[in-house]
Short mmCIF file of all heavy atoms in Angstrom, two decimals:
data_model
loop_
_atom_site.label_atom_id
_atom_site.label_comp_id
_atom_site.label_asym_id
_atom_site.label_seq_id
_atom_site.Cartn_x
_atom_site.Cartn_y
_atom_site.Cartn_z
N TYR A 39 117.16 22.96 109.26
CA TYR A 39 116.06 23.48 110.06
C TYR A 39 116.60 23.86 111.42
O TYR A 39 117.32 23.07 112.02
CB TYR A 39 114.96 22.43 110.22
CG TYR A 39 113.78 22.96 110.99
CD1 TYR A 39 112.82 23.72 110.35
CD2 TYR A 39 113.65 22.74 112.35
CE1 TYR A 39 111.74 24.24 111.05
CE2 TYR A 39 112.58 23.24 113.06
CZ TYR A 39 111.63 23.99 112.40
OH TYR A 39 110.57 24.50 113.09
N PRO A 40 116.36 25.04 111.93
CA PRO A 40 115.61 26.08 111.22
C PRO A 40 116.43 26.60 110.05
O PRO A 40 117.64 26.74 110.13
CB PRO A 40 115.38 27.14 112.27
CG PRO A 40 116.43 26.91 113.31
CD PRO A 40 116.79 25.46 113.25
N ALA A 41 115.76 26.87 108.97
CA ALA A 41 116.43 27.28 107.74
C ALA A 41 116.65 28.79 107.73
O ALA A 41 115.80 29.55 108.17
CB ALA A 41 115.58 26.88 106.54
N PRO A 42 117.79 29.19 107.20
CA PRO A 42 117.99 30.63 107.04
C PRO A 42 117.05 31.17 105.97
O PRO A 42 116.62 30.44 105.08
CB PRO A 42 119.46 30.73 106.59
CG PRO A 42 119.76 29.40 105.99
CD PRO A 42 118.90 28.41 106.71
N GLU A 43 116.71 32.44 106.07
CA GLU A 43 115.87 33.05 105.05
C GLU A 43 116.59 32.97 103.71
O GLU A 43 117.79 33.14 103.63
CB GLU A 43 115.58 34.51 105.40
CG GLU A 43 114.63 34.66 106.56
CD GLU A 43 113.25 34.10 106.27
OE1 GLU A 43 112.72 34.31 105.15
OE2 GLU A 43 112.69 33.45 107.16
N ASP A 44 115.84 32.67 102.67
CA ASP A 44 116.42 32.57 101.33
C ASP A 44 115.46 33.24 100.36
O ASP A 44 114.39 32.71 100.08
CB ASP A 44 116.65 31.11 100.95
CG ASP A 44 117.43 30.95 99.67
OD1 ASP A 44 117.43 31.88 98.83
OD2 ASP A 44 118.04 29.88 99.50
N ALA A 45 115.85 34.42 99.87
CA ALA A 45 114.99 35.16 98.95
C ALA A 45 114.77 34.42 97.64
O ALA A 45 113.85 34.75 96.89
CB ALA A 45 115.61 36.54 98.67
N ASN A 46 115.59 33.42 97.35
CA ASN A 46 115.46 32.67 96.10
C ASN A 46 114.47 31.52 96.18
O ASN A 46 114.22 30.86 95.19
CB ASN A 46 116.83 32.11 95.69
CG ASN A 46 117.81 33.20 95.36
OD1 ASN A 46 117.50 34.09 94.56
ND2 ASN A 46 118.97 33.17 95.97
N LEU A 47 113.93 31.24 97.37
CA LEU A 47 113.02 30.11 97.57
C LEU A 47 111.64 30.62 97.95
O LEU A 47 111.49 31.40 98.88
CB LEU A 47 113.55 29.19 98.68
CG LEU A 47 112.75 27.93 98.95
CD1 LEU A 47 112.81 26.99 97.75
CD2 LEU A 47 113.30 27.23 100.19
N SER A 48 110.64 30.16 97.22
CA SER A 48 109.26 30.53 97.54
C SER A 48 108.39 29.28 97.45
O SER A 48 108.81 28.25 96.94
CB SER A 48 108.76 31.62 96.58
OG SER A 48 108.78 31.16 95.25
N GLU A 49 107.17 29.39 97.95
CA GLU A 49 106.20 28.29 97.91
C GLU A 49 105.01 28.72 97.07
O GLU A 49 104.57 29.85 97.14
CB GLU A 49 105.73 27.93 99.31
CG GLU A 49 106.80 27.40 100.21
CD GLU A 49 106.28 27.07 101.60
OE1 GLU A 49 105.05 26.90 101.77
OE2 GLU A 49 107.10 27.00 102.51
N GLU A 50 104.49 27.78 96.28
CA GLU A 50 103.29 28.01 95.47
C GLU A 50 102.37 26.82 95.58
O GLU A 50 102.80 25.72 95.94
CB GLU A 50 103.67 28.19 93.99
CG GLU A 50 104.49 29.41 93.68
CD GLU A 50 104.80 29.52 92.19
OE1 GLU A 50 104.36 28.64 91.40
OE2 GLU A 50 105.49 30.48 91.82
N GLN A 51 101.13 27.04 95.22
CA GLN A 51 100.19 25.93 95.11
C GLN A 51 100.56 25.12 93.87
O GLN A 51 101.06 25.67 92.88
CB GLN A 51 98.76 26.45 94.99
CG GLN A 51 98.25 27.09 96.27
CD GLN A 51 98.28 26.10 97.43
OE1 GLN A 51 97.78 24.99 97.33
NE2 GLN A 51 98.90 26.50 98.52
N PRO A 52 100.35 23.81 93.89
CA PRO A 52 100.68 22.99 92.72
C PRO A 52 99.84 23.37 91.50
O PRO A 52 98.68 23.75 91.63
CB PRO A 52 100.34 21.57 93.16
CG PRO A 52 100.08 21.62 94.62
CD PRO A 52 99.82 23.03 94.99
N MET A 53 100.46 23.24 90.33
CA MET A 53 99.72 23.40 89.08
C MET A 53 98.87 22.13 88.89
O MET A 53 99.13 21.10 89.52
CB MET A 53 100.68 23.59 87.91
CG MET A 53 101.42 24.92 87.95
SD MET A 53 102.33 25.27 86.44
CE MET A 53 103.82 24.36 86.72
N ALA A 54 97.88 22.20 88.03
CA ALA A 54 96.97 21.06 87.82
C ALA A 54 97.72 19.78 87.49
O ALA A 54 97.38 18.71 88.01
CB ALA A 54 95.96 21.40 86.73
N ALA A 55 98.75 19.85 86.66
CA ALA A 55 99.50 18.65 86.28
C ALA A 55 100.33 18.09 87.44
O ALA A 55 100.65 16.90 87.46
CB ALA A 55 100.43 18.96 85.10
#
Side-chain angles (χ1 to χ4, degrees):
Y39 183 82
E43 289 296 318
D44 189 336
N46 295 309
L47 183 66
S48 61
E49 295 179 20
E50 294 181 1
Q51 292 300 309
M53 291 190 277

